[in-house]
Amino acid sequence: MAEFDIEGVVRALHEARADWRATHRRSREPGGRELPSRTALAAILEQLQGALFPMRLGPPELRHDGEDFYVGYTLETALQALLEQARLEVSHALRHDETVTHADVQGRAESAVRAFAAQLPQIRRLLDSDVQAAFQGDPAARSVDEVLLCYPGVLALIHHRLAHALYGLGLPLLARIVAEQSHAATGIDIHPGAQIGAAFFIDHGTGVVIGETAIIGERVRLYQAVTLGAKRFPTDENGALRKGLPRHPVVEDDVVIYAGATILGRVTIGRGAVIGGNVWVIDDVPPGASVTQATLRNGAAA
Amino acid sequence: MAEFDIEGVVRALHEARADWRATHRRSREPGGRELPSRTALAAILEQLQGALFPMRLGPPELRHDGEDFYVGYTLETALQALLEQARLEVSHALRHDETVTHADVQGRAESAVRAFAAQLPQIRRLLDSDVQAAFQGDPAARSVDEVLLCYPGVLALIHHRLAHALYGLGLPLLARIVAEQSHAATGIDIHPGAQIGAAFFIDHGTGVVIGETAIIGERVRLYQAVTLGAKRFPTDENGALRKGLPRHPVVEDDVVIYAGATILGRVTIGRGAVIGGNVWVIDDVPPGASVTQATLRNGAAA
Amino acid sequence: MAEFDIEGVVRALHEARADWRATHRRSREPGGRELPSRTALAAILEQLQGALFPMRLGPPELRHDGEDFYVGYTLETALQALLEQARLEVSHALRHDETVTHADVQGRAESAVRAFAAQLPQIRRLLDSDVQAAFQGDPAARSVDEVLLCYPGVLALIHHRLAHALYGLGLPLLARIVAEQSHAATGIDIHPGAQIGAAFFIDHGTGVVIGETAIIGERVRLYQAVTLGAKRFPTDENGALRKGLPRHPVVEDDVVIYAGATILGRVTIGRGAVIGGNVWVIDDVPPGASVTQATLRNGAAA
Amino acid sequence: MAEFDIEGVVRALHEARADWRATHRRSREPGGRELPSRTALAAILEQLQGALFPMRLGPPELRHDGEDFYVGYTLETALQALLEQARLEVSHALRHDETVTHADVQGRAESAVRAFAAQLPQIRRLLDSDVQAAFQGDPAARSVDEVLLCYPGVLALIHHRLAHALYGLGLPLLARIVAEQSHAATGIDIHPGAQIGAAFFIDHGTGVVIGETAIIGERVRLYQAVTLGAKRFPTDENGALRKGLPRHPVVEDDVVIYAGATILGRVTIGRGAVIGGNVWVIDDVPPGASVTQATLRNGAAA
Amino acid sequence: MAEFDIEGVVRALHEARADWRATHRRSREPGGRELPSRTALAAILEQLQGALFPMRLGPPELRHDGEDFYVGYTLETALQALLEQARLEVSHALRHDETVTHADVQGRAESAVRAFAAQLPQIRRLLDSDVQAAFQGDPAARSVDEVLLCYPGVLALIHHRLAHALYGLGLPLLARIVAEQSHAATGIDIHPGAQIGAAFFIDHGTGVVIGETAIIGERVRLYQAVTLGAKRFPTDENGALRKGLPRHPVVEDDVVIYAGATILGRVTIGRGAVIGGNVWVIDDVPPGASVTQATLRNGAAA
Amino acid sequence: MAEFDIEGVVRALHEARADWRATHRRSREPGGRELPSRTALAAILEQLQGALFPMRLGPPELRHDGEDFYVGYTLETALQALLEQARLEVSHALRHDETVTHADVQGRAESAVRAFAAQLPQIRRLLDSDVQAAFQGDPAARSVDEVLLCYPGVLALIHHRLAHALYGLGLPLLARIVAEQSHAATGIDIHPGAQIGAAFFIDHGTGVVIGETAIIGERVRLYQAVTLGAKRFPTDENGALRKGLPRHPVVEDDVVIYAGATILGRVTIGRGAVIGGNVWVIDDVPPGASVTQATLRNGAAA
């Protein structure tokens, strides 16, 4: 077998890392990993799904009389692992603040994970409403169980509702990793900051994008390739991006948005409005209105 | 390490599950899992791919003189596992019918899986036609082997042709799980009910949606983000959705549909027609016609 | 448990394979697998990512003082495994050339992998520029580390820059397998032949398609569902496809292309131009120009 | 690579199996495995050890507040798996009795496993007495935790006390498999039928053999290579072995038996007796006696 | 976390390896592993056991109608893997012979493995005789299946009969690795060179040692801690050990040897003789004789 | 499937644990595992073996030019994991000392592991001497590589020399766990406190026991079932065991001890002495002496 110049490549990669660290003013200090792990979070998510829906997403051999034991043990394991990841994020976020102690980091991580745990039952109830909405909204659905097992829109919401809780508790990096794992699995890209009401349903879903400051009411229905995006980012007088401003749509209760529609900027889609397929919207739409392309008389759904 | 109020969360999740079961009138009976397992089906699919294409999708160390042994053993294992999943689906589907016996469930599951097994050689031949079509339709393709190994459109068809067989044998939930695993892996969303002729080719594929009652002829070619969808669902006089009606397009032999085109409703795209990129179609298209946007003189393909 | 007619199915599948081999004039010779393995390449890619970014994409327990040892050992392992896959591709590509010896195959595979290894440091530096571009281009990004861990666009570029190196070294099948693994994980479909300059950024990404002969300058930014595709394939006087001709766009430095835009054919998008969302472009765009739909005054970004 | 005559070997092995089945009058009926699985039992044992000693033999990451959840879930899983194995043993044992129904088999297996579960707390208390005895009996032991983690004698007793419970509940095959797994791990060979009192301690242990009808009192101590065996098996007037007769020693409370001693037949070693190293005993030993070799004035212990 | 002086230790270990290689006159040539792998052989053994006894030692889910497929595929896989290990041994054994070509090595390895495959059916029949002997010889045995599943003596013979075949085919290193894996699992140490007739039974087994040139007839029975060893090794006039001479006992048909007996040197134990427990034998024993310790009137067996 | 009274068993096990903790005066405090993990140590040992003998006990695919990288990375990983285990042992050992701080525990663990790392090269050199001794002492050995790969005596020494280093550095619990893993794998039971000189060889090995205060010189050879043990433990005037006193044999250089010999108490076996098989020794043996049973003229070896 061939020999490669491993030592040379190792040295050149070492220099590339050193240059990167120099550029970003990072000293090469002794120590271990400073960042959360995608693999660890994927495992935690798998466990949380099992704890939320034990008989349907938990282990195949689980039986009803072991349900609470399973939920308790799985939660305990998942939350301890999440605590470790939270500690990494908090520590990384505060690494330039010299007044922060190890105990501060630990304390923040613990209270975030404790609050997260307390939200889980409410998240389960929200997800039940989503499952119910998907079942009612899709003529092809045969049972609520099929919906929970199969629908990518439901999978995306399980991830989003957990990610949104992490986001709200000061763990935006963990939230983002969870959101991107959902994006990879479903093609649905929901920023963890987006606020989404109960009984939300996304059908098919591939190509959906929902931005950070979007606000979605209850009983809203979306189809594939819908974008709830921002227009160009506002800049200040110096041309720098202004962050954190509301820049994505507000979608009120009972709205339906068909496939391929693009809605941009901080516009409001009024209660009960219907946005047709492939339509491009950059202004407010009044409640109950129906917006279609000139050539389109009906919305589209597969 | 921190202690969390695991017992409190377990109790609240228990109540949430109880409420859900009450809402759906499910008694909490002793017993095990009632639903098929996604993990189990993923493993079965992996085995079936190996059994269909042993030297290319089977284990790397396989050699020609072990081919039939491998195929036989893998099939045996996969079919027994599929039988177990089929039994779960049949039992779940019939759970409210008190006249159904254990032997009925077993019998239906067995005859479905037996029929499925018998269709495998024909499915392999259809897939060979798809591989051949992809090779001929893509100027970048170097060999039929590359096509089978790499093309997401081919991967989607392997799943679809298996899922469609399950769907036709009264196992729509298993079929749907298979279809969604394909959707997750390829971004191509084909309902297992869709009827697709030989030598079908989807290039790139991300965002393609093909609905439940679509009918596609032979030698059809599709590009990314094409939708063969329904218009708004028909409702009866009471406003309830009317299920099961033909509501997706019929695409005849030798049609080409370029990227981003949307075709909605029970329209017919006539033999040999060409539908240009991003075009929106809600009416029949005659055989041989070429439909384009005003600004588009040529179809688009990457 | 049921018995299935395994022997019958095995026989029928055997015949289907025999027919396929006959059609493609392949004799059933003794011997093992002739094609690279997707599983093997996935493992190699995982290792190369760790070797390129040890503290962020390597194993969680890695520490700074073990970095070079880890990089060296991981590279050694990955390159030996890549050599094996390269040998399979070269051997398969030359299987009809009777003058080729075993040593020829080995030699070509070795020099390709040796050259690939030598390019890794430069690839790392290019990827650093991409990470930096993503951080600067997204107002929601909090740190370069978040970008590397989370952004599907960055993941797609890690795969592409490695795949492009393989492609340039005469290993197009390996390159394609790598590209499709990226496509499956991110929904971003970049042909390994595409030439892409430094500091490239794709936001969201689902549905992006970039064709084989596309050329992209430095500091270019793309959003989801952008297509850089070909028009219909040119044919020669006999109607046969003409392969290898430049047929995809040239995108110059500092161009921004918003979501859903479609650019087809060998057109040039001039330096600094801005292409609005959902726009359809089949002609050259001059430097600095801004192309939008009639109804669109601003580009779109989520 | 070489081709072997796989088909020939498969055929010859098929014939060897057929001959074996013919010799043992077993028809080759359709159906699956009829015997318990060693692998399954090894996994069950691992789980039971964790359930009995959660913080010391359970998963490393377990914490006190998750202890009961872990124990409950692990027990549930282990007992269901054990039920499956018990069903296989009962079914196999009764396979020639045509009056036995499927429900009979199920019922026997269930009541055996239910009784087994009920014995677990008492088994834990016995094992606590063994751990305590080992700690007190070995001058090198530093803590009871070290004893539980390290001592092969303790590991052998965990297995034996579980195996003995299975044996007493009519599952001798499962019991034997458990006993042999202990034998393989420790070199200590205790037949599951042996009756052993509390606070039993085996030091070093390699080569110890304790026979099926042995009876051992409380606070007994044994060293390596001690045999509590049978003399030659009694035969009836026809020369056939007479099974089930008491044929191994009775060892009363507080006896110590040093390394290499051999005690054969249904003899009684009286309360508090001491048997020296390498001594050969085939007669009763009175309470309090000390038996040594001529050349040996002291017992031996390492 | 702490930093250790990894680089210093790596350097010192490098020097220790260099010294070792210098002492043994091995140049540090480029290249890979030169020796067979214990892990690889353990996996091969596991597969061969399954192929020999598919329904009892094969995978739990195996069913009768998949038996031959399983056997064929498993054999194919195991033999190819064995061929690779055989090639390593042959190449290592001949590494100082410069006239040996790559093809020679390959040829020798292939013919050895081919011959090994051809012996498998006969080995299965011999093992059937061993299982039968164990069943008949142990009053506690309930069925031949229990014997095959549980008895360490049977496990040791499965390994030995395979190891002996490898030994006879010029693969003594592979044979030895197999033998030691058996030794580790059972405490029974049989040199792969030992010749053992049909229907051999070892009860309990821990501590049994059988030397390289021992010859054992049919229907022989042994208990734990029996040694069939050599006396001091013969030396030539220069005091060098003389290798390869017959130096272990010959045990004729129908002999029984009880626990702890030691038989040393090239003596013959005549047909049907009985050697009592703990007896020390260094001379021939005539057929039908019964040898016991002065104090022992009966043999011993547990 | 059956329901078991899991809740009842969980409750009763909870009470058994509570009673145990009460007996041992352990409060049930929140917190995690306090004891080292056998599984973790097994993995560390595997890595250390690879780091000590990379080309023979490391991963099969390792090549010479990756050797140092592999050694460095493996050491780094193994030592960090060992540090974690050391911390658990130190913390557990000092748990009743209230003056000990977290930093003290960390400091002691770190200096122990740092010293351990520094000893590794010397340990490798000692093991090389053992391998060489085994090769020279066994007429059946074909190469030093075979000895390292196969001989249980060598495996036991790899474990012992590492365990002895841990023992000397104040980590007796880790040392004991390592020793017992060796005992389980080889049947050779060496207390980690035993002092053993270079070029030590144990042949066959099953049943060997070497006690805590034994001292063994250079070039000593032992066969199976040899005991270097203590006589009865000395007690003080109150009858309590007196710990820590020298109570096992001293074996000087070049001694040979044949199978089954038992040597008890603080006796000295003089330089070059030969102890015959099955001999029982409780007094000093002068240098050069040969001790045999009356009936034995030669030592025994298989």
Side-chain angles (χ1 to χ4, degrees), chain B residues 59-83:
Chain B
E61 75 280 6
L62 187 63
R63 301 175 66 260
H64 277 303
D65 52 341
E67 231 178 337
D68 281 343
F69 289 120
Y70 165 75
V71 170
Y73 176 52
T74 304
L75 270 183
E76 167 71 27
T77 308
L79 292 175
Q80 291 295 341
L82 183 61
L83 178 57

Side-chain angles (χ1 to χ4, degrees), chain A residues 1-6 8-10 12-17 19-21 23-24 26-39 92 95 167 172-173 176-177 180 183-185 187-189 191 206-212 227-233 241-244 247-248 260 262 264 278 280 282-283, chain C residues 49 51-52 54-60 62-65 67-68 71-72 75-76 79-80 83 87 106 110 113-114 117-118 120-121 124-125 128 131-132 136-146 148-152 155 184-186 204-206 223-224 258 274 277-278 290 293 295-302:
Chain A
M1 279 195 261
E3 299 238 355
F4 304 113
D5 177 20
I6 301 289
V9 179
V10 168
L13 284 170
H14 185 106
E15 282 159 23
R17 292 199 307 275
D19 289 353
W20 168 261
R21 283 170 182 145
T23 308
H24 291 81
R26 300 188 173 181
S27 53
R28 186 183 170 288
E29 295 152 9
R33 187 191 191 79
E34 296 154 351
L35 289 165
S37 152
R38 294 185 295 188
T39 312
H92 187 63
R95 68 192 179 283
Y167 182 90
L173 179 51
R176 185 67 188 261
I177 292 174
E180 287 300 339
H183 185 188
I188 298 171
D189 181 352
H191 193 283
T206 308
V208 165
V209 176
I210 300 177
E212 182 175 15
T227 296
L228 304 182
K231 290 201 231 174
R232 265 192 222 165
F233 303 121
L241 293 174
R242 297 173 61 196
K243 298 197 173 193
R247 61 190 186 278
H248 301 96
T262 301
L264 300 178
N278 277 20
W280 183 274
I282 55 172
D283 295 299
Chain C
Q49 289 185 60
L52 286 170
M55 295 305 292
R56 289 177 286 177
L57 303 183
L62 186 64
R63 301 175 66 260
H64 277 304
D65 52 342
E67 232 178 336
D68 281 343
V71 171
L75 270 183
E76 166 71 27
L79 293 174
Q80 291 296 340
L83 177 59
R87 210 183 281 128
Q106 176 72 14
E110 277 185 28
V113 176
R114 189 171 291 118
L120 288 173
R124 157 80 201 225
R125 289 176 186 274
D128 283 345
V131 168
Q132 188 67 27
Q136 288 170 341
D138 182 0
R142 279 174 184 75
S143 74
V144 286
D145 301 313
E146 178 186 358
L148 183 61
L149 277 179
C150 301
Y151 280 44
L155 185 60
T186 65
H204 305 298
T206 309
Y223 290 85
Q224 70 268 24
Y258 284 100
V274 175
N278 278 18
S290 180
Q293 288 203 6
T295 58
L296 178 69
R297 271 163 306 270
N298 293 308

Side-chain angles (χ1 to χ4, degrees), chain D residues 113-295:
Chain D
V113 176
R114 189 173 290 118
F116 177 79
Q119 293 182 31
L120 289 173
Q122 176 55 16
I123 288 173
R124 156 81 201 224
R125 288 176 187 275
L126 275 173
L127 289 168
D128 283 345
S129 77
D130 299 326
V131 167
Q132 187 67 27
F135 176 63
Q136 288 170 342
D138 181 0
R142 279 174 183 75
S143 74
V144 286
D145 302 313
E146 177 186 358
V147 164
L148 183 60
L149 276 180
C150 302
Y151 279 45
V154 171
L155 185 61
L157 278 168
I158 295 175
H159 282 78
H160 174 70
R161 297 203 184 279
L162 294 170
H164 185 63
L166 294 170
Y167 182 89
L169 292 164
L171 299 168
L173 180 50
L174 299 191
R176 185 68 187 260
I177 292 174
V178 171
E180 287 301 338
Q181 287 175 344
S182 169
H183 185 189
T186 66
I188 298 171
D189 180 352
I190 310 178
H191 193 285
Q195 301 171 45
I196 300 181
F200 184 57
F201 174 41
I202 302 175
D203 203 4
H204 305 298
T206 308
V208 165
V209 176
I210 300 177
E212 182 174 15
T213 65
I215 298 174
I216 297 178
E218 304 201 337
R219 293 172 304 282
V220 169
R221 207 157 81 227
L222 249 65
Y223 290 85
Q224 69 268 26
V226 164
T227 295
L228 304 182
K231 291 201 229 174
R232 263 189 226 166
F233 304 120
T235 51
D236 61 20
E237 58 271 27
N238 303 320
L241 293 175
R242 296 173 60 194
K243 299 196 173 193
L245 295 182
R247 60 189 187 279
H248 301 96
V250 174
V251 178
E252 296 186 345
D253 296 350
D254 299 302
V255 166
V256 179
I257 308 177
Y258 284 99
T262 302
I263 306 178
L264 299 179
R266 191 52 158 200
V267 300
T268 295
I269 310 300
R271 182 186 185 99
V274 175
I275 309 298
N278 276 19
V279 166
W280 184 273
V281 178
I282 56 172
D283 295 300
D284 287 355
V285 171
S290 181
V291 180
T292 61
Q293 288 203 6
T295 59

Side-chain angles (χ1 to χ4, degrees), chain E residues 10 13 41 47 99 119 178 192 208 236 242 249 261 302:
Chain E
V10 168
L13 285 169
L41 270 164
Q47 291 174 316
T99 68
Q119 292 183 30
V178 170
V208 165
D236 60 20
R242 297 174 60 195

Side-chain angles (χ1 to χ4, degrees), chain D residues 56 60 64 67-68 80 110 114 121 125 128 132 139 145 149-150 152 185 204 206 258 274 296 299-301, chain F residues 1-3 12 14 16-17 19-21 24 26 28-29 31 33 38 92 180 183-184 189 230 232 243 264 280:
Chain D
R56 288 176 286 176
H64 277 304
E67 231 178 337
D68 281 344
Q80 291 296 340
E110 276 186 29
R114 189 173 290 118
R125 288 176 187 275
D128 283 345
Q132 187 67 27
D145 302 313
L149 276 180
C150 302
H204 305 298
T206 308
Y258 284 99
V274 175
L296 177 69
Chain F
M1 279 195 261
E3 300 237 356
H14 185 107
R17 292 199 307 273
D19 288 354
W20 169 262
R21 282 168 181 148
H24 292 80
R26 300 189 174 181
R28 185 184 169 288
E29 295 151 9
R33 185 190 193 82
R38 295 186 294 190
H92 188 62
E180 287 299 339
H183 185 187
D189 180 353
R232 263 190 224 163
K243 299 196 174 193
L264 299 178
W280 182 274

Side-chain angles (χ1 to χ4, degrees), chain D residues 229-235 247 262-267 280-283, chain E residues 223 256-259 261 274-279 290-302:
Chain D
K231 291 201 229 174
R232 263 189 226 166
F233 304 120
T235 51
R247 60 189 187 279
T262 302
I263 306 178
L264 299 179
R266 191 52 158 200
V267 300
W280 184 273
V281 178
I282 56 172
D283 295 300
Chain E
Y223 291 85
V256 179
I257 308 178
Y258 285 100
V274 174
I275 309 297
N278 277 19
V279 165
S290 181
V291 179
T292 60
Q293 289 203 4
T295 57
L296 177 71
R297 272 163 307 270
N298 294 307

